[in-house]
Amino acid sequence: MTRLNLFAPDVRENPYPFYAALRRGSPVCQVEPNGMWVVTRYDDVVAALKDTQVFSSAGLRVASEPPHLQRHNPLSDSLILADPPRHSQLRNLIGRAFTAATVGSLEADMRSTAARLADEMSQRRVVDFVSDFAHPAQANVLVQLLGLDPARQGSFQRWTTDILGVAAVAPDDERRLSEVRRTIDEMETCMRELLESRRRQPGSDLVSGLLRSRVNDCALTDEDLMGFLFLLFVAGLETAVTLMTHMALILARRPVWMDRLRAEPGLSAHFIEEVLRFEPPVHATMRLTLAEAELSGVRVPAHAVVALLVGSALRDEAKFQDPDLFDPARRAPASLAFGHGAHACIGAMLARAQARVVLEELLRRYRRVELRAERLDWNVSLNTRCPLALPVEVIPA
C-alpha cells in the first residue's frame, strides 16, 4: 500500500478527507515524509500529549537541530523541547513574567495597529491579507512585547521561515543550510543585544520581567532565555499569522458570518474558538517515543518520530458532530488548538486577544471580505498549515 505523503500538493490543499480516511482505517500508521508515524484520532492525540514519559518532546529536537545543520539551534533549549520536571521549572519561571497583565498592556497598541492596517487595505481594496495585514500586525506585537527595534521587522518573516523550515532542508543543500546558519547568527546577535540592554537598563517589558523572574531562588539561564526568545519569536509570529489568515479566509468563504457577528457581537468569542477547531494554527506537533506504545490497537516502536495530527483530531467524528461543518454555535470539547496538559501553549492568551481585536476591527470597517483567487498556494510544514498568500478584496461597510 502506498503511504500518504503529508507534503503532497493535494494533501496540503485539503488534508481533511485524507485524515478522515486514516481515522477510519489506519488511525495510527506510517506516512511520508521519512516513514514517520501519525496519530489521527482525538482520544489518541490527547493520550499521547498527556504521556510525557513515553511521548517525549525531545522528538522536536530531530526537527530543530538535525545533524547536518552542524550548528546549535537555540530553539532546542526552549521549554517546548523539554519534558517534566525540567519543563515545569521553565514554565513556572517564564509564567512569572508572561502574565495576563502583560497581554493586557499590549491591547491598545494591537488595536491601533490593526485599525491602521485595515484603513490602508480599505484604500487599496485588493490586497494580500497575509503580507499586508497579518504579518505586519503580529510583527508589531513582537516589537512591543520584546522591545525590539522596529527597523528589524523586515527580517522577521525570513527568520521565522528559516528556523521553522530546518527539518525540510536536505542534508546536501548547502546553500539553504548556509542561509539557515546565517539566520541563527542574526537572531542570536539580536536577542543577545536585547538581553544585555535590559540588564543595563531594566524596564516594564517582558524581557526585563524574564530577567527578574525567580522561583525558589532559581532564575533563567542565558540558554533558557535565548531558547524562550527564539520560541516566542518564531512560534508567536507563525501561529498568530496562521490564525488571523484562516479567520479572514473563513469570513471570505462564509460571508453570512460578517453579518451575524455584527448583529450579535457576543458570538465573536465562539467564532474564534471554532476557527481554532476548524483550522488550528498548530496543525501537528511532534514527539519521540521513549518506549513502545500502543494506540488504537497499533504498536508504535520505541525511538519513533510521531506526528500528533491536531488538525485531524479536531475533525474527529467521535468527538464532534458534523466536524467538517463550520459552526460557532457548537459546544465542543476542550480545544487542542494550543496544545494540552503540560505543553499547553503559554502564548495562547495573547493569540486569542490578537484574534479578537483583529476581528473587531475588520467587522467595524468591512461589509465583506471577498476572495480573489481560484486556488491558494500552501506552505510546506509539518507544524502549521497556512496559505502563502491570501488575495482578497475588502468591501467597506
Side-chain angles (χ1 to χ4, degrees):
M1 179 182 294
T2 302
R3 289 175 177 170
L4 177 69
N5 187 339
L6 296 180
F7 288 166
D10 55 340
V11 177
R12 294 302 294 170
E13 184 174 5
N14 183 13
Y16 299 108
F18 298 95
Y19 293 168
L22 290 181
R23 288 194 302 272
R24 287 192 300 269
S26 302
V28 180
C29 64
Q30 288 181 277
V31 300
E32 299 302 330
N34 304 321
M36 72 173 57
W37 289 81
V38 293
V39 179
T40 60
R41 291 178 178 169
Y42 184 96
D43 286 343
D44 288 337
V45 168
V46 169
L49 288 171
K50 286 181 176 179
D51 191 353
T52 58
Q53 291 187 332
V54 174
F55 292 91
S56 169
S57 294
L60 290 171
R61 289 180 178 270
V62 177
S64 67
E65 198 172 312
H68 55 269
L69 182 61
Q70 296 180 339
R71 191 207 190 284
H72 177 58
N73 182 354
L75 188 64
S76 298
D77 296 321
S78 67
L79 78 165
I80 201 173
L81 293 167
D83 293 324
R86 177 59 175 155
H87 175 272
S88 303
Q89 180 189 37
L90 287 172
R91 191 178 181 98
N92 287 340
L93 284 163
I94 291 165
R96 293 294 179 96
F98 201 170
T99 64
T102 305
V103 175
S105 69
L106 296 170
E107 180 157 337
D109 193 76
M110 285 194 292
R111 190 171 298 280
S112 65
T113 300
R116 173 179 58 80
L117 293 170
D119 286 340
E120 291 174 0
M121 290 200 300
S122 294
Q123 296 171 8
R124 297 171 56 191
R125 294 287 290 269
V126 178
V127 298
D128 170 17
F129 186 85
V130 177
S131 63
D132 292 324
F133 189 97
H135 274 299
Q138 189 60 15
N140 183 72
V141 169
L142 291 173
V143 165
Q144 299 303 319
L145 182 65
L146 299 177
L148 291 168
D149 181 354
R152 291 187 179 271
Q153 289 189 43
S155 300
F156 286 3
Q157 180 53 41
R158 174 173 58 83
W159 287 358
T160 302
T161 299
D162 285 351
I163 297 298
L164 292 180
V166 168
V169 180
D172 59 352
D173 190 346
E174 189 53 44
R175 181 186 64 81
R176 280 295 293 138
L177 287 170
S178 178
E179 291 171 348
V180 171
R181 293 181 195 117
R182 184 168 63 251
T183 287
I184 295 174
D185 288 342
E186 290 177 13
M187 289 186 67
E188 274 196 319
T189 298
C190 173
M191 301 307 174
R192 191 175 295 111
E193 290 173 352
L194 180 62
L195 290 168
E196 291 172 356
S197 172
R198 293 302 178 274
R199 284 192 175 102
R200 290 193 304 269
Q201 190 172 1
S204 58
D205 57 285
L206 174 62
V207 175
S208 298
L210 291 169
L211 288 167
R212 288 191 294 265
S213 182
R214 298 289 187 279
V215 175
N216 298 328
D217 293 328
C218 291
L220 292 162
T221 67
D222 285 353
E223 290 76 16
D224 298 336
L225 289 162
M226 189 69 74
F228 179 66
L229 292 177
F230 264 62
L231 172 64
L232 183 62
F233 188 92
V234 298
L237 188 64
E238 188 77 2
T239 56
V241 167
T242 299
L243 173 55
M244 285 186 275
T245 301
H246 278 298
M247 191 164 62
L249 180 57
I250 286 168
L251 289 173
R253 287 176 167 169
R254 296 165 178 81
V256 65
W257 278 103
M258 295 202 75
D259 296 330
R260 283 283 304 277
L261 292 169
R262 268 191 293 267
E264 303 175 68
L267 286 174
S268 292
H270 298 299
F271 177 87
I272 291 169
E273 291 308 306
E274 181 68 348
V275 174
L276 289 169
R277 182 198 71 84
F278 199 73
E279 290 287 2
V282 178
H283 201 75
T285 188
M286 307 295 291
R287 294 292 187 267
L288 181 72
T289 54
L290 300 184
E292 184 179 80
E294 182 173 327
L295 295 168
S296 285
V298 178
R299 291 189 177 277
V300 180
H303 311 300
V305 176
V306 179
L308 307 176
L309 294 183
V310 175
S312 173
L314 292 174
R315 301 278 188 117
D316 190 342
E317 302 82 357
K319 288 292 178 181
F320 305 92
Q321 185 175 3
D322 298 323
D324 294 325
L325 174 68
F326 181 82
D327 180 14
R330 76 171 72 241
R331 295 298 178 263
S335 177
L336 302 178
F338 288 111
H340 182 82
H343 278 284
C345 177
I346 200 168
M349 182 168 44
L350 178 60
R352 285 186 168 97
Q354 173 78 313
R356 173 178 53 79
V357 167
V358 166
L359 181 61
E360 289 169 357
E361 295 304 317
L362 295 181
L363 292 171
R364 183 173 290 122
R365 284 165 174 77
Y366 307 140
R367 179 168 54 86
R368 290 284 184 271
V369 176
E370 298 181 353
L371 192 59
R372 288 291 177 262
E374 292 185 5
R375 185 169 183 172
L376 300 174
D377 292 324
W378 296 83
N379 69 332
V380 179
S381 169
L382 287 172
N383 300 109
T384 64
R385 177 177 172 270
C386 186
L388 295 172
L390 185 63
V392 297
E393 181 175 357
V394 294
I395 312 299

